[in-house]
Amino acid sequence: MDLPVYLCTQRRSMIKVLLITYYWPPAGGGGVQRWLKMSKYLPDQGVDLTVYTPENGEFPGYDPSLVEEVDPRINILKHPIWEPYSLFKKFTGKKSNSYNALITEGEKSSWKQDLAVFLRGNFFIPDARCFWIGPSIKYLSQLLETHTYDVIISTGPPHSTHMIALGLKNRFPKIKWVADFRDPWTMIDFYKDLKLTSWADKRHHAMENKVLSTADEIVTISPSCADDLMGLANRPIQVIHNGFDEEDFKNAAPPLDSDFTIVHIGSMNKDRNPRVLWEVLGQLIEKNPGFAQFIKIELVGIVDGSIVESIQKAGLKNQLSVIGQQNHKAVIQRMRSVQILLLPINDIPQQKGVMPGKMYEYLGAARPILAFGLPDSDTAKLLHDTGAGNLFGYNDKKGLEEYLDKAIKTYQSGRLEVSSQGYLRYSRKNLASKYSELLHKLVS
């Protein structure tokens, strides 16, 4: 097997880490951000990083501008992957290559969508990237036979990355393994919608349990997610949050919008529909017709049709703008110019531990955050501790009315501001330092 020459000449004084990730530039969206941003600072923390990623992955979104952010000190290995998405798109007529789109769209699903979901859950285990597992274990085993690594990190979803790492751990037990869970596996919100047979459900759980019991360390992104995983694994779980990159905010901020803009950045599915907000805004405009001139709602990214319908039913059709996906640099600048950043957390039973990656970039943007979710959630605690915004329950109409009344008056009388504090602990640089400490301790 021909391997890059640089693999033979790496510095021996640093911890050598092999990261297995599906999402890597030019992939766009939230899945790529954690490790793209973390990797920029790890070399300064004593980590010699090699990234293993697909050569030809099919991503829900692309952002070629992120290629420029890959640190030149990082070694990149790529290997081909076969995925069934082209077949599914042709079969269902869907343009998206995300199975989530088959599950979460607002309109009634067709029999083709139902069949696609059934096949996804029962035949592609743990996910549609499962065809990458065997070839990757073979390819990386050849690498590990001739090149020394101290730690393997697998980051999922897709959880096929963990199965690759598990296969390598079985062959090379002396190498330490960190399983990094950006999202849950069997406890993720759409798991119940996968139309699983009892056999498939047992298979998913068996794979998950094997990963949780075999990895040397388990890392996840929030305290509540750690508690959930601890309940499955009966072992300590490390928490290393997502964060924001200070480098993204080093340039001067653009001027604030002259309108009272409430803006959501990123995907917005039907479980993130703050109907109470649309209701209150509609009633405010009905009572104060002049408000219609300056209240604006902007949704940037993929938006479920049911959310647009809810906004229009509230009488806010003229206030709404729906903008498609934008590159990362563009959305960062947009975050910094809005009056209020909207952050609805998935209205699901597992929402306590949901901490969206964009929330941390909202912190970096230093604009007021209006969130919806559970008052005792991890997100609510973070917003309270940093002073970065306010969170309301999905049915807290009174509290929301009081908040918007005050916010609009502040906007009209001057400048709507936020006084955040302590949020720098969530910078990517600080979080990379925390990850480096974990890795060094693991191999010491």
Side-chain angles (χ1 to χ4, degrees):
M1 179 183 66
D2 294 328
L3 294 169
V5 174
Y6 57 69
L7 289 174
C8 302
T9 59
Q10 292 176 344
R11 290 165 290 178
R12 302 297 301 168
S13 60
M14 302 176 76
I15 293 178
K16 296 183 65 175
V17 175
L18 175 65
L19 170 67
I20 303 171
T21 179
Y22 179 83
Y23 294 106
W24 192 254
V32 73
Q33 293 297 321
R34 178 172 175 86
W35 280 100
L36 171 62
K37 297 297 189 179
M38 191 90 71
S39 67
K40 291 172 59 176
Y41 300 103
L42 285 174
D44 296 325
Q45 302 289 341
V47 176
D48 190 348
L49 184 65
T50 294
V51 173
Y52 174 72
T53 193
E55 184 176 41
N56 55 330
E58 290 196 40
F59 310 114
Y62 290 82
D63 186 351
S65 70
L66 294 179
V67 175
E68 302 171 9
E69 297 192 35
V70 178
D71 193 293
R73 296 171 293 179
I74 298 170
N75 307 314
I76 309 295
L77 289 175
K78 293 188 176 183
H79 195 63
I81 183 174
W82 181 83
E83 302 176 75
Y85 285 118
S86 59
L87 300 177
F88 273 79
K89 286 188 286 186
K90 183 180 293 186
F91 177 69
T92 63
K94 293 293 176 183
K95 295 181 180 180
S96 173
N97 59 6
S98 170
Y99 279 121
N100 296 0
L102 298 175
I103 298 170
T104 60
E105 291 185 358
E107 71 270 14
K108 181 178 175 60
S109 61
S110 67
W111 70 268
K112 290 185 177 181
Q113 287 173 255
D114 290 339
L115 178 58
V117 172
F118 177 83
L119 293 174
R120 179 259 186 262
N122 293 279
F123 290 89
F124 303 111
I125 301 175
D127 46 63
R129 281 80 181 207
C130 59
F131 299 99
W132 199 43
I133 297 172
S136 294
I137 293 173
K138 180 179 179 181
Y139 176 80
L140 293 175
S141 291
Q142 291 178 290
L143 170 68
L144 296 176
E145 285 171 357
T146 56
H147 299 82
T148 301
Y149 284 89
D150 302 296
V151 182
I152 295 171
I153 301 174
S154 56
T155 181
H159 301 298
S160 285
T161 59
H162 299 313
M163 299 309 296
I164 295 169
L166 175 63
L168 296 175
K169 180 68 174 179
N170 289 335
R171 295 188 181 194
F172 303 91
K174 292 184 179 180
I175 301 177
K176 300 297 184 181
W177 171 27
V178 178
D180 183 79
F181 283 82
R182 301 188 321 276
D183 280 315
W185 187 332
T186 60
M187 290 184 289
I188 200 163
D189 55 330
F190 62 78
Y191 184 78
K192 67 182 184 304
D193 299 315
L194 290 177
K195 306 181 186 299
L196 298 176
T197 62
S198 59
W199 176 87
D201 180 53
K202 290 178 182 178
R203 182 67 174 154
H204 278 281
H205 279 91
M207 286 183 169
E208 180 183 43
N209 290 336
K210 190 65 175 177
V211 169
L212 293 174
S213 63
T214 306
D216 296 284
E217 286 284 1
I218 308 293
V219 177
T220 192
I221 52 87
S222 74
S224 292
C225 284
D227 289 342
D228 289 340
L229 287 173
M230 196 180 306
L232 292 176
N234 192 29
R235 58 179 291 187
I237 308 294
Q238 304 296 324
V239 175
I240 298 181
H241 289 262
N242 285 312
F244 69 95
D245 189 353
E246 292 178 82
E247 288 291 310
D248 290 338
F249 301 92
K250 64 182 180 181
N251 297 327
L256 285 181
D257 296 342
S258 57
D259 290 322
F260 185 78
T261 46
I262 301 175
V263 179
H264 180 271
I265 305 288
S267 299
M268 201 172 184
N269 61 37
K270 64 182 180 180
D271 291 326
R272 301 174 192 161
N273 189 0
R275 293 179 179 84
V276 66
L277 174 61
W278 319 137
E279 180 184 352
V280 170
L281 288 174
Q283 291 174 355
L284 278 173
I285 291 175
E286 186 177 352
K287 293 177 183 178
N288 306 276
F291 284 9
Q293 303 303 313
F294 61 80
I295 291 179
K296 305 296 180 184
I297 302 165
E298 185 177 308
L299 308 180
V300 181
I302 300 173
V303 181
D304 190 271
S306 63
I307 295 173
V308 174
E309 184 179 347
S310 294
I311 295 172
Q312 293 175 341
K313 282 185 177 180
L316 301 168
K317 181 179 180 179
N318 294 331
Q319 281 68 48
L320 174 64
S321 297
V322 179
I323 300 173
Q325 289 179 289
Q326 306 289 305
N327 68 47
H328 188 249
K329 291 181 179 178
V331 299
I332 288 293
Q333 288 300 89
R334 187 67 189 112
M335 288 178 190
R336 304 175 77 187
S337 64
V338 310
Q339 294 293 342
I340 291 179
L341 286 162
L342 178 60
L343 184 70
I345 307 302
N346 301 56
D347 190 13
I348 56 173
Q350 306 95 329
Q351 68 170 278
K352 187 175 180 179
V354 175
M355 302 184 81
K358 64 173 162 274
M359 174 182 65
Y360 299 93
E361 295 188 326
Y362 281 10
L363 289 178
R367 299 303 303 147
I369 299 172
L370 171 58
F372 291 87
L374 290 175
D376 64 344
S377 65
D378 294 338
T379 292
K381 185 177 187 304
L382 184 146
L383 293 177
H384 178 268
D385 291 347
T386 60
N390 295 270
L391 182 142
F392 298 93
Y394 274 97
N395 298 312
D396 187 4
K397 184 177 180 181
K398 181 179 179 181
L400 182 60
E401 287 174 338
E402 294 174 355
Y403 168 85
L404 287 174
D405 180 66
K406 182 178 179 180
I408 290 173
K409 287 178 179 177
T410 303
Y411 155 80
Q412 290 176 316
S413 63
R415 185 179 172 92
L416 189 60
E417 294 283 8
V418 63
S419 299
S420 300
Q421 56 186 358
Y423 67 95
L424 288 177
R425 79 188 77 162
Y426 300 109
S427 73
R428 295 289 187 180
K429 186 175 183 179
N430 286 335
L431 294 166
S433 177
K434 186 174 181 180
Y435 225 113
S436 176
E437 288 177 12
L438 182 150
L439 296 173
H440 279 82
K441 183 178 179 181
L442 187 60
V443 300
S444 62

